[in-house]
Amino acid sequence: MRLQAARLALPQLLIEKRQTLRQLENRNIIEIPLTPSMTLTIEVDPATGRIVRSTGKAAGIEFSTSYRDFRTVDGLLFAFREENSAGPTKTGTNQLATVEVTRSR
């Protein structure tokens, strides 16, 4: 559950953990330490700057999500399609039909 929550809050997590981020060998992959035994890595498309994949790792388990079909809604960018896997096994696809942005005052 902690890995899923971290994945859903990636923009905020990148800001909060900016001091501990590590760029891996491939310059397009950034590792975010969550706990001493749990990490979240993100792959960034160098042409667009978009996060195209995230992988959460913890003791013997790995969950990955690939993000596709990016669309702008009310000035914000959203991935309308997510393809999920646990290890090598595909676990599902999330497809958004619409996104509604509400702003607090």
Side-chain angles (χ1 to χ4, degrees):
M1 293 298 261
R2 291 180 74 184
L3 291 173
Q4 181 73 348
R7 181 184 77 77
L8 293 173
L10 266 174
Q12 181 179 347
L13 188 63
L14 286 167
I15 292 169
E16 289 175 359
K17 300 280 190 173
R18 68 182 167 269
Q19 299 299 322
T20 59
L21 299 178
R22 279 186 356 157
Q23 189 171 17
L24 300 183
E25 297 144 15
N26 178 334
R27 297 184 53 84
N28 302 323
I29 298 179
I30 299 169
E31 181 181 72
I32 307 164
L34 302 173
T35 70
S37 62
M38 192 181 305
T39 62
L40 184 66
T41 58
I42 58 170
E43 182 178 341
V44 179
D45 179 338
T48 64
R50 296 176 181 165
I51 297 171
V52 294
R53 184 175 178 84
S54 65
T55 303
K57 296 178 185 177
I61 192 157
E62 181 176 302
F63 296 102
S64 296
T65 301
S66 294
Y67 306 97
R68 302 192 185 340
D69 190 14
F70 292 93
R71 302 181 205 170
T72 301
V73 177
D74 199 20
L76 300 171
L77 187 66
F78 295 90
F80 273 66
R81 184 176 180 87
E82 297 179 343
E83 296 173 4
N84 304 295
S85 62
T89 305
K90 183 176 177 180
T91 58
T93 299
N94 301 325
Q95 181 72 42
L96 301 178
T98 61
V99 170
E100 182 179 331
V101 177
T102 58
R103 303 209 186 254
S104 26
R105 296 177 190 229

